[in-house]
Amino acid sequence: MQLIESPHFGQVTIIGNANGDWQASKKGYSIIFNGTVAEGEHIINICNGPFAGSTEDFVVTGHHNKWLSTQLSAIAHELQSRLNCWPSSGLACFILFSRLTIPLSLTRMSLLPNLARNNTMTKNEHLPCVVHNWLGERRIALSQIKESPRSQINWLCFIVIIR
């Protein structure tokens, strides 16, 4: 997929929805997902369209929202054919920004889901990891990391795993 000329992002920190505390980056933009609540000048929230009640593939709030929603949609359709299901917003976002070859950090995105059901889940609730093809997403993410310059991507949990 050919990227349309991108706006200037400087550096990007992608903050996933896994458990744990997080802070917006002091440099560049911080990307959060699916209704995570945060305020700040350089925070961008990306939601799967259906999660946000939209017919669009993605709903983006914050800077560069039209450009991001267009690019994320194109990448998600590309990934859908490889995964045989719709990709997570996090994977689509990671692929997009890694292709821009800008400094990129990821946090709270392990792609190693916990398959245990906690005691607070009802029998009808599904595990968060079954919404997407997490194993396929992990394979694609690892492949993208291997193709990218090591100095570009800071994703500690993957660096430990692939060594």
Side-chain angles (χ1 to χ4, degrees):
M1 180 198 102
Q2 188 71 10
L3 290 173
I4 299 169
E5 186 173 337
S6 72
H8 180 69
F9 285 96
Q11 80 179 49
V12 170
T13 300
I14 298 174
I15 303 166
N17 287 332
N19 292 330
D21 294 331
W22 65 275
Q23 273 192 311
S25 176
K26 292 180 178 160
K27 293 182 180 179
Y29 290 88
S30 294
I31 309 288
I32 57 179
F33 299 101
N34 293 336
T36 300
V37 177
E39 291 184 20
E41 186 178 337
H42 289 110
I43 293 179
I44 298 169
N45 194 316
I46 298 171
C47 289
N48 280 311
F51 182 87
S54 173
T55 58
E56 299 295 320
D57 292 334
F58 295 95
V59 174
V60 179
T61 55
H63 291 271
H64 314 301
N65 58 341
K66 289 183 190 258
W67 184 87
L68 278 168
S69 61
T70 300
Q71 295 303 306
L72 287 169
S73 182
I75 286 177
H77 285 282
E78 172 191 325
L79 292 171
Q80 183 178 27
S81 67
R82 294 173 63 188
L83 293 167
N84 294 317
C85 69
W86 191 250
S88 67
S89 299
L91 180 67
C93 194
F94 165 66
I95 296 297
L96 171 62
F97 284 107
S98 65
R99 289 180 180 174
L100 293 178
T101 62
I102 60 175
L104 180 60
S105 294
L106 295 97
T107 183
R108 296 189 346 152
M109 287 180 59
S110 71
L111 290 180
L112 285 173
N114 184 346
L115 298 175
R117 296 181 67 80
N118 69 38
N119 294 336
T120 62
M121 293 181 77
T122 67
K123 291 183 180 190
N124 295 337
E125 270 184 287
H126 59 266
L127 291 167
C129 65
V130 301
V131 175
H132 303 286
N133 176 353
W134 70 268
L135 192 56
E137 289 199 2
R138 179 177 164 74
R139 179 180 39 83
I140 289 170
L142 285 170
S143 174
Q144 187 69 26
I145 287 171
K146 288 179 183 178
E147 292 173 14
S148 299
R150 283 226 186 248
S151 61
Q152 175 198 337
I153 298 172
N154 177 17
W155 198 348
L156 182 60
C157 65
F158 271 131
I159 292 170
V160 171
I161 293 166
I162 62 175
R163 286 193 177 167

